[in-house]
Short mmCIF file of all heavy atoms in Angstrom, two decimals:
data_model
loop_
_atom_site.label_atom_id
_atom_site.label_comp_id
_atom_site.label_asym_id
_atom_site.label_seq_id
_atom_site.Cartn_x
_atom_site.Cartn_y
_atom_site.Cartn_z
N MET A 1 -1.58 14.56 4.90
CA MET A 1 -0.63 13.53 5.12
C MET A 1 -1.22 12.22 4.59
O MET A 1 -2.34 11.92 4.77
CB MET A 1 -0.34 13.41 6.63
CG MET A 1 0.60 12.34 7.00
SD MET A 1 1.06 12.51 8.75
CE MET A 1 0.94 10.84 9.21
N ILE A 2 -0.38 11.49 3.92
CA ILE A 2 -0.76 10.16 3.40
C ILE A 2 -0.58 9.12 4.48
O ILE A 2 0.45 9.05 5.08
CB ILE A 2 0.07 9.80 2.15
CG1 ILE A 2 -0.09 10.86 1.05
CG2 ILE A 2 -0.22 8.41 1.65
CD1 ILE A 2 -1.44 10.83 0.39
N ASP A 3 -1.59 8.22 4.65
CA ASP A 3 -1.49 7.17 5.64
C ASP A 3 -1.88 5.86 4.90
O ASP A 3 -2.94 5.76 4.34
CB ASP A 3 -2.48 7.50 6.76
CG ASP A 3 -2.61 6.38 7.80
OD1 ASP A 3 -1.54 5.64 7.95
OD2 ASP A 3 -3.58 6.24 8.46
N PHE A 4 -0.97 4.90 4.96
CA PHE A 4 -1.26 3.63 4.38
C PHE A 4 -1.81 2.56 5.30
O PHE A 4 -1.85 1.41 4.95
CB PHE A 4 0.08 3.10 3.69
CG PHE A 4 0.47 3.90 2.47
CD1 PHE A 4 1.47 4.83 2.56
CD2 PHE A 4 -0.14 3.77 1.29
CE1 PHE A 4 1.83 5.58 1.53
CE2 PHE A 4 0.15 4.48 0.19
CZ PHE A 4 1.17 5.41 0.27
N SER A 5 -2.40 2.98 6.37
CA SER A 5 -3.04 2.00 7.28
C SER A 5 -4.18 1.23 6.60
O SER A 5 -4.29 -0.03 6.86
CB SER A 5 -3.57 2.78 8.51
OG SER A 5 -2.56 3.37 9.25
N PRO A 6 -4.91 1.85 5.77
CA PRO A 6 -5.97 1.00 5.07
C PRO A 6 -5.38 -0.14 4.25
O PRO A 6 -6.02 -1.18 4.11
CB PRO A 6 -6.66 2.05 4.13
CG PRO A 6 -6.47 3.37 4.85
CD PRO A 6 -5.10 3.27 5.47
N LEU A 7 -4.17 0.01 3.77
CA LEU A 7 -3.54 -1.08 2.99
C LEU A 7 -3.41 -2.28 3.85
O LEU A 7 -3.78 -3.38 3.37
CB LEU A 7 -2.18 -0.60 2.47
CG LEU A 7 -1.32 -1.70 1.88
CD1 LEU A 7 -1.94 -2.34 0.65
CD2 LEU A 7 0.09 -1.24 1.61
N TRP A 8 -2.87 -2.14 5.02
CA TRP A 8 -2.57 -3.28 5.93
C TRP A 8 -3.90 -3.95 6.32
O TRP A 8 -3.99 -5.20 6.39
CB TRP A 8 -1.79 -2.90 7.11
CG TRP A 8 -0.62 -2.02 6.62
CD1 TRP A 8 -0.34 -0.76 6.92
CD2 TRP A 8 0.48 -2.48 5.79
NE1 TRP A 8 0.82 -0.33 6.32
CE2 TRP A 8 1.36 -1.38 5.59
CE3 TRP A 8 0.85 -3.69 5.21
CZ2 TRP A 8 2.51 -1.46 4.83
CZ3 TRP A 8 1.95 -3.78 4.44
CH2 TRP A 8 2.81 -2.64 4.24
N ALA A 9 -4.97 -3.14 6.55
CA ALA A 9 -6.28 -3.74 6.91
C ALA A 9 -6.79 -4.50 5.66
O ALA A 9 -7.39 -5.61 5.87
CB ALA A 9 -7.21 -2.65 7.31
N THR A 10 -6.75 -3.97 4.52
CA THR A 10 -7.24 -4.57 3.30
C THR A 10 -6.50 -5.92 3.05
O THR A 10 -7.06 -6.91 2.71
CB THR A 10 -7.07 -3.70 2.06
OG1 THR A 10 -7.84 -2.53 2.33
CG2 THR A 10 -7.60 -4.36 0.84
N MET A 11 -5.14 -5.90 3.26
CA MET A 11 -4.31 -7.10 3.08
C MET A 11 -4.79 -8.23 4.04
O MET A 11 -4.93 -9.34 3.71
CB MET A 11 -2.85 -6.76 3.26
CG MET A 11 -2.26 -5.96 2.08
SD MET A 11 -0.59 -5.49 2.43
CE MET A 11 0.28 -7.02 2.71
N LYS A 12 -5.02 -7.81 5.33
CA LYS A 12 -5.36 -8.75 6.31
C LYS A 12 -6.83 -9.29 5.98
O LYS A 12 -6.96 -10.54 5.99
CB LYS A 12 -5.48 -8.07 7.71
CG LYS A 12 -5.81 -9.05 8.78
CD LYS A 12 -5.69 -8.40 10.15
CE LYS A 12 -6.01 -9.33 11.26
NZ LYS A 12 -5.87 -8.73 12.52
N GLU A 13 -7.69 -8.47 5.61
CA GLU A 13 -9.10 -8.89 5.18
C GLU A 13 -9.05 -9.89 4.03
O GLU A 13 -9.84 -10.84 3.96
CB GLU A 13 -9.89 -7.63 4.82
CG GLU A 13 -11.30 -7.94 4.36
CD GLU A 13 -12.00 -6.63 3.91
OE1 GLU A 13 -11.90 -5.64 4.65
OE2 GLU A 13 -12.53 -6.69 2.81
N LYS A 14 -8.14 -9.70 3.11
CA LYS A 14 -8.05 -10.49 1.89
C LYS A 14 -7.03 -11.61 2.01
O LYS A 14 -6.75 -12.32 1.02
CB LYS A 14 -7.84 -9.64 0.68
CG LYS A 14 -8.96 -8.70 0.42
CD LYS A 14 -8.71 -7.74 -0.80
CE LYS A 14 -9.85 -6.81 -0.96
NZ LYS A 14 -10.71 -7.16 -2.11
N SER A 15 -6.36 -11.78 3.16
CA SER A 15 -5.42 -12.79 3.39
C SER A 15 -4.28 -12.76 2.43
O SER A 15 -3.82 -13.73 1.91
CB SER A 15 -6.05 -14.15 3.42
OG SER A 15 -7.04 -14.28 4.42
N ILE A 16 -3.75 -11.52 2.16
CA ILE A 16 -2.64 -11.34 1.27
C ILE A 16 -1.45 -10.84 2.19
O ILE A 16 -1.57 -9.91 2.91
CB ILE A 16 -2.92 -10.24 0.22
CG1 ILE A 16 -4.14 -10.66 -0.56
CG2 ILE A 16 -1.72 -9.97 -0.64
CD1 ILE A 16 -3.98 -10.96 -1.98
N SER A 17 -0.37 -11.50 2.10
CA SER A 17 0.84 -11.20 2.88
C SER A 17 1.79 -10.25 2.09
O SER A 17 1.62 -10.10 0.91
CB SER A 17 1.54 -12.44 3.29
OG SER A 17 2.21 -13.06 2.12
N GLN A 18 2.75 -9.67 2.81
CA GLN A 18 3.76 -8.91 2.22
C GLN A 18 4.57 -9.80 1.20
O GLN A 18 4.99 -9.32 0.16
CB GLN A 18 4.72 -8.30 3.22
CG GLN A 18 3.98 -7.22 4.04
CD GLN A 18 4.88 -6.57 5.09
OE1 GLN A 18 6.10 -6.30 4.72
NE2 GLN A 18 4.39 -6.28 6.24
N TYR A 19 4.81 -11.02 1.59
CA TYR A 19 5.44 -11.94 0.70
C TYR A 19 4.71 -12.12 -0.59
O TYR A 19 5.28 -12.17 -1.71
CB TYR A 19 5.57 -13.32 1.43
CG TYR A 19 6.31 -14.38 0.65
CD1 TYR A 19 7.73 -14.33 0.52
CD2 TYR A 19 5.66 -15.45 0.00
CE1 TYR A 19 8.43 -15.33 -0.20
CE2 TYR A 19 6.33 -16.40 -0.73
CZ TYR A 19 7.66 -16.32 -0.84
OH TYR A 19 8.35 -17.28 -1.53
N ASP A 20 3.38 -12.16 -0.52
CA ASP A 20 2.54 -12.31 -1.75
C ASP A 20 2.76 -11.05 -2.63
O ASP A 20 2.85 -11.15 -3.88
CB ASP A 20 1.12 -12.41 -1.39
CG ASP A 20 0.68 -13.69 -0.69
OD1 ASP A 20 1.33 -14.73 -1.03
OD2 ASP A 20 -0.20 -13.66 0.15
N LEU A 21 2.79 -9.87 -2.02
CA LEU A 21 3.05 -8.66 -2.79
C LEU A 21 4.39 -8.67 -3.48
O LEU A 21 4.54 -8.28 -4.67
CB LEU A 21 2.93 -7.42 -1.88
CG LEU A 21 1.59 -7.10 -1.25
CD1 LEU A 21 1.62 -5.80 -0.43
CD2 LEU A 21 0.49 -6.96 -2.30
N ILE A 22 5.41 -9.09 -2.75
CA ILE A 22 6.77 -9.19 -3.32
C ILE A 22 6.72 -10.16 -4.55
O ILE A 22 7.26 -9.85 -5.62
CB ILE A 22 7.81 -9.66 -2.33
CG1 ILE A 22 8.01 -8.66 -1.22
CG2 ILE A 22 9.11 -10.11 -2.96
CD1 ILE A 22 8.76 -9.02 -0.03
N ASN A 23 6.05 -11.29 -4.47
CA ASN A 23 5.94 -12.20 -5.55
C ASN A 23 5.17 -11.71 -6.71
O ASN A 23 5.32 -12.27 -7.84
CB ASN A 23 5.39 -13.54 -5.03
CG ASN A 23 6.38 -14.32 -4.28
OD1 ASN A 23 7.58 -14.21 -4.38
ND2 ASN A 23 5.82 -15.22 -3.43
N LYS A 24 4.35 -10.65 -6.48
CA LYS A 24 3.55 -10.11 -7.59
C LYS A 24 4.08 -8.77 -8.05
O LYS A 24 3.41 -8.04 -8.77
CB LYS A 24 2.14 -9.94 -7.08
CG LYS A 24 1.50 -11.33 -6.92
CD LYS A 24 0.11 -11.27 -6.49
CE LYS A 24 -0.44 -12.69 -6.22
NZ LYS A 24 -1.88 -12.79 -6.13
N GLY A 25 5.36 -8.44 -7.69
CA GLY A 25 6.05 -7.28 -8.30
C GLY A 25 6.23 -6.03 -7.47
O GLY A 25 6.69 -5.02 -7.96
N ILE A 26 5.82 -6.10 -6.18
CA ILE A 26 6.07 -4.94 -5.35
C ILE A 26 7.37 -5.27 -4.59
O ILE A 26 7.50 -6.26 -3.88
CB ILE A 26 4.93 -4.77 -4.26
CG1 ILE A 26 3.56 -4.64 -4.94
CG2 ILE A 26 5.16 -3.59 -3.38
CD1 ILE A 26 3.41 -3.41 -5.87
N ASP A 27 8.38 -4.37 -4.74
CA ASP A 27 9.64 -4.70 -4.16
C ASP A 27 9.77 -4.34 -2.63
O ASP A 27 8.90 -3.56 -2.19
CB ASP A 27 10.82 -4.12 -4.93
CG ASP A 27 10.92 -2.63 -4.97
OD1 ASP A 27 10.43 -2.01 -3.97
OD2 ASP A 27 11.38 -1.99 -5.92
N LYS A 28 10.76 -4.86 -1.98
CA LYS A 28 10.99 -4.66 -0.58
C LYS A 28 11.15 -3.23 -0.15
O LYS A 28 10.62 -2.76 0.87
CB LYS A 28 12.17 -5.49 -0.06
CG LYS A 28 11.92 -6.94 -0.18
CD LYS A 28 13.17 -7.75 0.28
CE LYS A 28 12.97 -9.25 0.06
NZ LYS A 28 14.19 -9.95 0.36
N HIS A 29 11.81 -2.50 -1.03
CA HIS A 29 12.07 -1.01 -0.78
C HIS A 29 10.70 -0.34 -0.80
O HIS A 29 10.45 0.50 0.10
CB HIS A 29 12.95 -0.45 -1.86
CG HIS A 29 13.21 1.03 -1.75
ND1 HIS A 29 13.85 1.58 -0.73
CD2 HIS A 29 12.78 1.99 -2.50
CE1 HIS A 29 13.88 2.90 -0.87
NE2 HIS A 29 13.15 3.16 -1.94
N THR A 30 9.83 -0.65 -1.71
CA THR A 30 8.55 -0.05 -1.74
C THR A 30 7.68 -0.36 -0.57
O THR A 30 7.06 0.48 0.06
CB THR A 30 7.78 -0.40 -3.04
OG1 THR A 30 8.60 -0.04 -4.17
CG2 THR A 30 6.42 0.25 -3.16
N LEU A 31 7.73 -1.65 -0.12
CA LEU A 31 7.04 -2.03 1.08
C LEU A 31 7.55 -1.24 2.30
O LEU A 31 6.71 -0.84 3.15
CB LEU A 31 7.22 -3.53 1.33
CG LEU A 31 6.35 -4.46 0.47
CD1 LEU A 31 6.73 -5.93 0.74
CD2 LEU A 31 4.84 -4.26 0.75
N ASP A 32 8.83 -1.00 2.40
CA ASP A 32 9.38 -0.19 3.47
C ASP A 32 8.79 1.22 3.42
O ASP A 32 8.46 1.80 4.45
CB ASP A 32 10.90 -0.23 3.42
CG ASP A 32 11.53 0.44 4.57
OD1 ASP A 32 11.17 0.03 5.70
OD2 ASP A 32 12.42 1.32 4.37
N ARG A 33 8.75 1.77 2.25
CA ARG A 33 8.18 3.11 2.08
C ARG A 33 6.70 3.14 2.54
O ARG A 33 6.27 4.09 3.19
CB ARG A 33 8.31 3.63 0.59
CG ARG A 33 9.76 3.83 0.21
CD ARG A 33 9.89 4.41 -1.15
NE ARG A 33 9.42 5.78 -1.20
CZ ARG A 33 9.99 6.87 -0.67
NH1 ARG A 33 11.11 6.75 -0.06
NH2 ARG A 33 9.38 8.05 -0.76
N LEU A 34 5.93 2.12 2.14
CA LEU A 34 4.58 2.04 2.59
C LEU A 34 4.44 1.90 4.12
O LEU A 34 3.61 2.57 4.72
CB LEU A 34 3.89 0.85 1.88
CG LEU A 34 3.73 0.96 0.36
CD1 LEU A 34 3.40 -0.38 -0.23
CD2 LEU A 34 2.63 1.99 0.04
N ARG A 35 5.24 1.07 4.70
CA ARG A 35 5.25 0.89 6.19
C ARG A 35 5.47 2.26 6.92
O ARG A 35 4.91 2.43 7.98
CB ARG A 35 6.26 -0.10 6.62
CG ARG A 35 5.76 -1.51 6.69
CD ARG A 35 6.80 -2.46 7.29
NE ARG A 35 7.11 -3.48 6.31
CZ ARG A 35 8.16 -3.57 5.52
NH1 ARG A 35 9.13 -2.71 5.60
NH2 ARG A 35 8.34 -4.52 4.68
N ASN A 36 6.33 3.06 6.37
CA ASN A 36 6.71 4.36 6.92
C ASN A 36 5.92 5.53 6.42
O ASN A 36 6.29 6.67 6.69
CB ASN A 36 8.21 4.61 6.75
CG ASN A 36 9.02 3.53 7.52
OD1 ASN A 36 8.89 3.46 8.79
ND2 ASN A 36 9.76 2.78 6.86
N ASN A 37 4.84 5.31 5.68
CA ASN A 37 3.99 6.30 5.17
C ASN A 37 4.73 7.35 4.29
O ASN A 37 4.46 8.53 4.33
CB ASN A 37 3.23 7.07 6.21
CG ASN A 37 2.20 6.12 6.82
OD1 ASN A 37 1.56 5.38 6.20
ND2 ASN A 37 2.05 6.22 8.18
N HIS A 38 5.75 6.86 3.53
CA HIS A 38 6.48 7.74 2.59
C HIS A 38 5.77 7.71 1.26
O HIS A 38 4.97 6.80 0.92
CB HIS A 38 7.90 7.28 2.51
CG HIS A 38 8.68 7.51 3.74
ND1 HIS A 38 9.75 6.70 4.13
CD2 HIS A 38 8.57 8.53 4.68
CE1 HIS A 38 10.22 7.13 5.24
NE2 HIS A 38 9.57 8.26 5.60
N ASN A 39 6.11 8.64 0.43
CA ASN A 39 5.46 8.77 -0.91
C ASN A 39 5.84 7.57 -1.81
O ASN A 39 6.92 7.05 -1.72
CB ASN A 39 5.98 9.99 -1.65
CG ASN A 39 5.47 11.25 -0.98
OD1 ASN A 39 4.46 11.29 -0.37
ND2 ASN A 39 6.18 12.32 -1.17
N VAL A 40 4.86 7.09 -2.59
CA VAL A 40 5.06 6.09 -3.59
C VAL A 40 4.39 6.63 -4.87
O VAL A 40 3.62 7.56 -4.82
CB VAL A 40 4.42 4.74 -3.17
CG1 VAL A 40 5.12 4.16 -1.97
CG2 VAL A 40 2.96 4.86 -2.93
N THR A 41 4.65 5.96 -5.98
CA THR A 41 4.10 6.47 -7.23
C THR A 41 2.70 5.96 -7.43
O THR A 41 2.20 5.04 -6.82
CB THR A 41 4.97 5.93 -8.49
OG1 THR A 41 4.83 4.50 -8.49
CG2 THR A 41 6.41 6.30 -8.32
N ILE A 42 2.01 6.62 -8.32
CA ILE A 42 0.69 6.28 -8.66
C ILE A 42 0.68 4.84 -9.32
O ILE A 42 -0.30 4.08 -9.16
CB ILE A 42 0.01 7.32 -9.62
CG1 ILE A 42 -0.17 8.65 -8.96
CG2 ILE A 42 -1.31 6.80 -10.26
CD1 ILE A 42 -1.15 8.60 -7.79
N LEU A 43 1.68 4.51 -10.02
CA LEU A 43 1.87 3.19 -10.64
C LEU A 43 1.86 2.11 -9.48
O LEU A 43 1.21 1.05 -9.67
CB LEU A 43 3.14 3.12 -11.41
CG LEU A 43 3.44 1.76 -12.08
CD1 LEU A 43 2.31 1.38 -12.99
CD2 LEU A 43 4.77 1.77 -12.79
N THR A 44 2.49 2.44 -8.44
CA THR A 44 2.50 1.53 -7.23
C THR A 44 1.10 1.28 -6.71
O THR A 44 0.70 0.20 -6.37
CB THR A 44 3.45 1.95 -6.21
OG1 THR A 44 4.82 2.00 -6.69
CG2 THR A 44 3.40 1.12 -4.95
N ILE A 45 0.41 2.45 -6.53
CA ILE A 45 -0.98 2.43 -6.10
C ILE A 45 -1.84 1.54 -7.02
O ILE A 45 -2.65 0.75 -6.61
CB ILE A 45 -1.53 3.79 -5.96
CG1 ILE A 45 -0.79 4.65 -4.91
CG2 ILE A 45 -3.05 3.70 -5.54
CD1 ILE A 45 -0.73 4.17 -3.50
N GLU A 46 -1.68 1.75 -8.33
CA GLU A 46 -2.39 0.96 -9.36
C GLU A 46 -2.06 -0.53 -9.20
O GLU A 46 -2.95 -1.35 -9.26
CB GLU A 46 -2.01 1.48 -10.72
CG GLU A 46 -2.76 0.76 -11.84
CD GLU A 46 -2.39 1.26 -13.19
OE1 GLU A 46 -1.50 2.12 -13.35
OE2 GLU A 46 -3.02 0.69 -14.17
N LYS A 47 -0.77 -0.88 -9.06
CA LYS A 47 -0.36 -2.29 -8.91
C LYS A 47 -1.03 -2.87 -7.66
O LYS A 47 -1.57 -4.01 -7.68
CB LYS A 47 1.15 -2.43 -8.81
CG LYS A 47 1.86 -2.28 -10.06
CD LYS A 47 3.36 -2.42 -9.81
CE LYS A 47 4.26 -2.21 -10.96
NZ LYS A 47 5.65 -2.37 -10.66
N LEU A 48 -1.00 -2.12 -6.55
CA LEU A 48 -1.60 -2.64 -5.28
C LEU A 48 -3.07 -2.84 -5.46
O LEU A 48 -3.63 -3.87 -4.94
CB LEU A 48 -1.33 -1.68 -4.13
CG LEU A 48 0.16 -1.66 -3.64
CD1 LEU A 48 0.29 -0.35 -2.70
CD2 LEU A 48 0.50 -2.91 -2.93
N CYS A 49 -3.75 -1.90 -6.11
CA CYS A 49 -5.23 -2.09 -6.34
C CYS A 49 -5.52 -3.27 -7.16
O CYS A 49 -6.50 -3.97 -6.94
CB CYS A 49 -5.78 -0.77 -6.98
SG CYS A 49 -5.87 0.62 -5.81
N ASP A 50 -4.65 -3.50 -8.23
CA ASP A 50 -4.80 -4.58 -9.04
C ASP A 50 -4.61 -6.03 -8.32
O ASP A 50 -5.40 -6.87 -8.40
CB ASP A 50 -3.89 -4.54 -10.27
CG ASP A 50 -4.08 -5.62 -11.29
OD1 ASP A 50 -5.29 -5.87 -11.68
OD2 ASP A 50 -3.14 -6.19 -11.75
N ILE A 51 -3.50 -6.05 -7.55
CA ILE A 51 -3.19 -7.27 -6.79
C ILE A 51 -4.32 -7.53 -5.70
O ILE A 51 -4.76 -8.63 -5.62
CB ILE A 51 -1.84 -7.13 -6.08
CG1 ILE A 51 -0.76 -7.08 -7.14
CG2 ILE A 51 -1.59 -8.26 -5.06
CD1 ILE A 51 0.58 -6.60 -6.55
N LEU A 52 -4.79 -6.46 -5.05
CA LEU A 52 -5.74 -6.72 -4.01
C LEU A 52 -7.19 -6.64 -4.49
O LEU A 52 -8.17 -6.79 -3.69
CB LEU A 52 -5.54 -5.60 -2.94
CG LEU A 52 -4.18 -5.67 -2.25
CD1 LEU A 52 -3.99 -4.42 -1.40
CD2 LEU A 52 -4.12 -6.88 -1.30
N ASN A 53 -7.40 -6.29 -5.74
CA ASN A 53 -8.71 -6.14 -6.30
C ASN A 53 -9.59 -5.18 -5.47
O ASN A 53 -10.60 -5.59 -4.91
CB ASN A 53 -9.45 -7.50 -6.42
CG ASN A 53 -10.67 -7.37 -7.25
OD1 ASN A 53 -10.75 -6.55 -8.16
ND2 ASN A 53 -11.62 -8.26 -7.01
N CYS A 54 -8.99 -3.94 -5.31
CA CYS A 54 -9.62 -2.98 -4.48
C CYS A 54 -9.49 -1.55 -5.12
O CYS A 54 -8.94 -1.44 -6.16
CB CYS A 54 -9.05 -3.02 -3.07
SG CYS A 54 -7.30 -2.40 -2.96
N THR A 55 -10.07 -0.57 -4.39
CA THR A 55 -9.97 0.81 -4.87
C THR A 55 -8.86 1.50 -4.05
O THR A 55 -8.39 0.99 -3.00
CB THR A 55 -11.27 1.56 -4.58
OG1 THR A 55 -11.52 1.60 -3.24
CG2 THR A 55 -12.41 0.85 -5.28
N PRO A 56 -8.38 2.70 -4.55
CA PRO A 56 -7.35 3.40 -3.82
C PRO A 56 -7.74 3.81 -2.39
O PRO A 56 -6.88 3.83 -1.51
CB PRO A 56 -7.11 4.66 -4.65
CG PRO A 56 -7.48 4.29 -6.06
CD PRO A 56 -8.61 3.29 -5.93
N ASN A 57 -9.03 3.94 -2.15
CA ASN A 57 -9.46 4.25 -0.78
C ASN A 57 -9.23 3.09 0.18
O ASN A 57 -9.17 3.30 1.43
CB ASN A 57 -10.99 4.56 -0.78
CG ASN A 57 -11.29 5.82 -1.35
OD1 ASN A 57 -10.46 6.73 -1.48
ND2 ASN A 57 -12.58 6.00 -1.83
N GLU A 58 -9.03 1.91 -0.33
CA GLU A 58 -8.66 0.80 0.51
C GLU A 58 -7.15 0.58 0.66
O GLU A 58 -6.76 -0.31 1.32
CB GLU A 58 -9.32 -0.53 -0.04
CG GLU A 58 -10.85 -0.45 -0.03
CD GLU A 58 -11.46 -1.57 -0.84
OE1 GLU A 58 -11.48 -1.52 -2.08
OE2 GLU A 58 -11.92 -2.53 -0.19
N VAL A 59 -6.37 1.47 0.03
CA VAL A 59 -4.95 1.41 0.11
C VAL A 59 -4.33 2.55 0.95
O VAL A 59 -3.40 2.37 1.70
CB VAL A 59 -4.30 1.44 -1.30
CG1 VAL A 59 -2.80 1.54 -1.28
CG2 VAL A 59 -4.73 0.19 -2.12
N PHE A 60 -4.90 3.74 0.81
CA PHE A 60 -4.41 4.89 1.59
C PHE A 60 -5.54 5.80 1.92
O PHE A 60 -6.58 5.81 1.34
CB PHE A 60 -3.28 5.58 0.84
CG PHE A 60 -3.74 6.36 -0.35
CD1 PHE A 60 -4.07 7.68 -0.25
CD2 PHE A 60 -3.82 5.71 -1.62
CE1 PHE A 60 -4.50 8.45 -1.43
CE2 PHE A 60 -4.27 6.45 -2.72
CZ PHE A 60 -4.61 7.69 -2.62
N SER A 61 -5.21 6.70 2.94
CA SER A 61 -6.17 7.80 3.23
C SER A 61 -5.29 9.07 3.32
O SER A 61 -4.08 9.02 3.45
CB SER A 61 -6.82 7.59 4.60
OG SER A 61 -5.88 7.49 5.68
N PHE A 62 -6.01 10.17 3.22
CA PHE A 62 -5.30 11.47 3.20
C PHE A 62 -5.95 12.32 4.24
O PHE A 62 -7.11 12.44 4.33
CB PHE A 62 -5.44 12.19 1.80
CG PHE A 62 -4.89 13.53 1.76
CD1 PHE A 62 -3.53 13.67 1.63
CD2 PHE A 62 -5.64 14.64 1.85
CE1 PHE A 62 -2.96 14.99 1.60
CE2 PHE A 62 -5.08 15.90 1.89
CZ PHE A 62 -3.76 16.05 1.73
N THR A 63 -5.08 12.93 5.13
CA THR A 63 -5.57 13.84 6.16
C THR A 63 -4.77 15.14 5.96
O THR A 63 -3.62 15.16 5.70
CB THR A 63 -5.38 13.33 7.59
OG1 THR A 63 -4.04 12.94 7.75
CG2 THR A 63 -6.27 12.10 7.80
N LYS A 64 -5.50 16.27 6.17
CA LYS A 64 -4.85 17.56 6.11
C LYS A 64 -3.92 17.74 7.27
O LYS A 64 -4.29 17.56 8.43
CB LYS A 64 -5.87 18.61 5.99
CG LYS A 64 -5.50 19.83 5.30
CD LYS A 64 -6.73 20.73 5.15
CE LYS A 64 -6.40 21.73 4.04
NZ LYS A 64 -7.57 22.60 3.87
N GLU A 65 -2.68 18.19 7.05
CA GLU A 65 -1.76 18.56 8.13
C GLU A 65 -2.14 19.87 8.68
O GLU A 65 -2.62 20.78 8.04
CB GLU A 65 -0.33 18.62 7.57
CG GLU A 65 0.25 17.30 7.22
CD GLU A 65 1.67 17.23 6.87
OE1 GLU A 65 2.41 18.04 7.55
OE2 GLU A 65 2.05 16.61 5.97
N LYS A 66 -1.99 19.97 10.00
CA LYS A 66 -2.34 21.30 10.78
C LYS A 66 -1.21 22.16 10.77
O LYS A 66 -0.08 21.91 10.73
CB LYS A 66 -2.72 20.95 12.12
CG LYS A 66 -4.02 20.15 12.20
CD LYS A 66 -4.41 19.82 13.62
CE LYS A 66 -5.68 18.97 13.60
NZ LYS A 66 -6.21 18.69 14.91
#
């Protein structure tokens, strides 16, 4: 299961708001998908990493479903 909790922690640590993400090209629909741990594209992950200057590990985590 994909979990985007690390994204919110990274954003808080770097003082980046959802509004900042919207202004840098991440749309509201995508933010909603991230909030609900739904699938997003690798391009979205790449954009987030670029905006936050971080690695994918700081955006999402993966746990095996039981």
Side-chain angles (χ1 to χ4, degrees):
M1 180 170 135
I2 300 290
D3 177 27
F4 289 103
S5 296
L7 169 64
W8 312 114
T10 301
M11 287 172 59
K12 184 174 182 178
E13 178 184 312
K14 296 182 182 250
S15 299
I16 304 245
S17 68
Q18 291 181 40
Y19 182 76
D20 294 327
L21 293 182
I22 290 168
N23 285 334
K24 294 183 181 193
I26 305 295
D27 67 29
K28 293 177 186 179
H29 176 71
T30 301
L31 283 174
D32 188 51
R33 294 187 64 74
L34 292 165
R35 267 188 239 104
N36 292 301
N37 291 321
H38 291 147
N39 293 334
V40 295
T41 66
I42 294 296
L43 179 59
T44 298
I45 301 297
E46 182 181 3
K47 284 181 185 178
L48 289 168
C49 289
D50 187 46
I51 292 166
L52 296 168
N53 191 29
C54 68
T55 65
N57 289 337
E58 295 170 282
V59 173
F60 69 93
S61 63
F62 178 78
T63 55
K64 207 172 197 180
E65 290 187 37
K66 294 180 182 182

